[in-house]
Structure formats: structure tokens, C-alpha cells
Amino acid sequence: DSGVTQTPKHLITATGQRVTLRCSPRSGDLSVYWYQQSLDQGLQFLIQYYNGEERAKGNILERFSAQQFPDLHSELNLSSLELGDSALYFCASSDRPQLAASYNEQFFGPGTRLTVL
Amino acid sequence: LAKTTQPISMDSYEGQEVNITCSHNNIATNDYITWYQQFPSQGPRFIIQGYKTKVTNEVASLFIPADRKSSTLSLPRVSLSDTAVYYCLVPSNAGNMLTFGGGTRLMVKP
């Protein structure tokens, strides 16, 4: 158990809909990261928040957005869903603000499996 | 952006040493290279991280040559439970992005 929790575990929805994925980081971790894992694209970094502020942005679509709240939990909002958005979405946390040039061990949650029909 | 390349799959037998290499261009001098292990239907799990020469912990070693264009994860004496997918992860875009390798599926046979 990494200490990172994600809800829901599974989500089935239809094209065009909007969903919200939730993540609670490990106690004391200020950084939250979101990743997408699909069969054709592999693991892709989407976005990082540190103590409520966006820190780094990766391959996140404009239809997707995220935020981190004062209690440090984070939400990933996916809208206008398409079939290709079906994937596993992972949240990770760490105690470091930087992505690079420093030791940064990320702890991953169990993921949310999103199926868009 | 950094581009990472790993072998798609590898087979080994219990008790053998396994070395998995990741090629990565365009990473900065002080950027750390990280390796993760992933079992089916689980999130990746941290194995080891380093930025130069050699790093060793209780489960693996990481070798990084001077040119830093590749890194090799070494798993000593693998067991059946080491059957998993192994990913390298490197920062890119001046530290504003993270790039995963495509993953290496390791199969350990008895």
C-alpha cells in the first residue's frame, strides 16, 4: 500500500460526458502528479501540482483539467470524453517540488480505470 | 523532449542476473533517472534512482555511463515474483516534463 488513494476504482461513461477523478496523496506529500496509461500510448505524464499550484504540464489535453485543494487532495476533470480517453489514470505523490535535478521518489496510487463507451 | 527506448520484452530464469537498458537522449547533467516496476492492475512502484555512475539499494543497481545517454537497471538473482514490466523515467524539456520509456516486460521462468 503506497498510501495514495484514488477514487473511483472503475468508471464507465459515454462519449461526450464529463467525469472527475479524485486523488489523496500520502500524508505529508505536497506534490501530486497525474498520469494516463493506455495500450497505444503507454504511460504519459499529464500534470503536476505542488501545494496547490500547477508546477509542470505534460501531455494533457485541453479537454482535461486538474486542481489541488488546500487539503492537498487533487481532482482530474475529463470532459467531452472520447473513446480514446479510455485508459488507466494514475495519481502519484511525493514530497519534492521539482521534476528534475533532485531526488524525487513518487508513490503511485492504484489507479482509476476509465471506460468510455 | 527526451526520447527513451527500452527492449519490449526479456526472458530470464530464477537466480539469474537481469540487466535492462534504457536509452535516453537529451537529458540535463543533473537530471535523475528513475526506474519503476509495475504489476498488472497496479500502479508503478519505485525501484531505484540516480544521476551518475552507480547506485545500489537492497533490490537493484543502476549503472549510468559518463555520457548519460543510457542507463542499465540490474536485478540480481531474479525470482518468479520479479515478473513485471519495468519502466525508465527521465525528466525532459528543461525539467518541466517527465517521459516514460515504453516499458520492458520481464518474464522470469522457473
Side-chain angles (χ1 to χ4, degrees):
Chain A
D1 183 1
S2 66
V4 177
T5 60
Q6 291 187 247
T7 56
K9 193 173 176 61
H10 300 277
L11 198 49
I12 301 174
T13 188
T15 55
Q17 295 298 305
R18 172 190 169 94
V19 297
T20 297
L21 312 184
R22 182 188 169 102
C23 167
S24 292
R26 285 190 327 154
S27 177
D29 284 354
L30 298 179
S31 268
V32 169
Y33 312 78
W34 285 98
Y35 295 88
Q36 180 194 59
Q37 185 172 35
S38 61
L39 283 174
D40 55 343
Q41 299 282 347
L43 268 164
Q44 290 202 86
F45 167 71
L46 296 179
I47 198 163
Q48 177 204 7
Y49 278 82
Y50 178 78
N51 203 21
E53 300 290 325
E54 182 182 304
R55 186 82 182 187
K57 184 177 275 192
N59 299 320
I60 188 166
L61 300 174
E62 284 190 14
R63 301 183 284 109
F64 296 0
S65 65
Q67 53 184 326
Q68 186 179 27
F69 296 87
D71 67 353
L72 300 177
H73 91 272
S74 177
E75 293 181 355
L76 179 67
N77 300 295
L78 315 177
S79 62
S80 303
L81 285 167
E82 302 174 0
L83 295 177
D85 297 327
S86 295
L88 263 171
Y89 290 85
F90 289 106
C91 164
S93 74
S94 79
D95 61 359
R96 302 301 173 97
Q98 308 101 307
L99 287 185
S102 76
Y103 188 87
N104 187 339
E105 177 177 349
Q106 295 181 35
F107 295 85
F108 281 75
T112 293
R113 183 173 294 280
L114 173 67
T115 302
V116 182
L117 302 176
Chain B
L1 292 181
K3 179 176 168 57
T4 57
T5 305
Q6 302 178 232
I8 293 175
S9 64
M10 295 180 71
D11 287 346
S12 183
Y13 291 92
E14 284 190 290
Q16 289 189 329
E17 178 183 77
V18 170
N19 296 308
I20 306 174
T21 296
C22 174
S23 299
H24 33 72
N25 61 356
N26 202 28
I27 65 170
T29 304
N30 294 325
D31 280 350
Y32 278 69
I33 300 155
T34 313
W35 284 80
Y36 285 86
Q37 175 193 54
Q38 187 178 29
F39 297 111
S41 300
Q42 294 185 23
R45 187 174 70 172
F46 176 91
I47 301 174
I48 197 166
Q49 187 176 72
Y51 75 99
K52 66 176 182 180
T53 58
K54 177 183 174 183
V55 178
T56 297
N57 62 20
E58 62 276 9
V59 299
S61 294
L62 177 61
F63 297 92
I64 303 168
D67 67 6
R68 290 167 45 81
K69 291 186 184 300
S70 67
S71 61
T72 298
L73 172 72
S74 181
L75 304 172
R77 298 178 301 281
V78 294
S79 64
L80 296 177
S81 63
D82 292 318
T83 293
V85 180
Y86 293 83
Y87 293 93
C88 62
L89 174 64
V90 298
S92 60
N93 195 22
N96 295 311
M97 174 75 170
L98 290 172
T99 301
F100 272 98
T104 298
R105 189 174 300 275
L106 173 66
M107 173 69 72
V108 180
K109 303 173 183 177

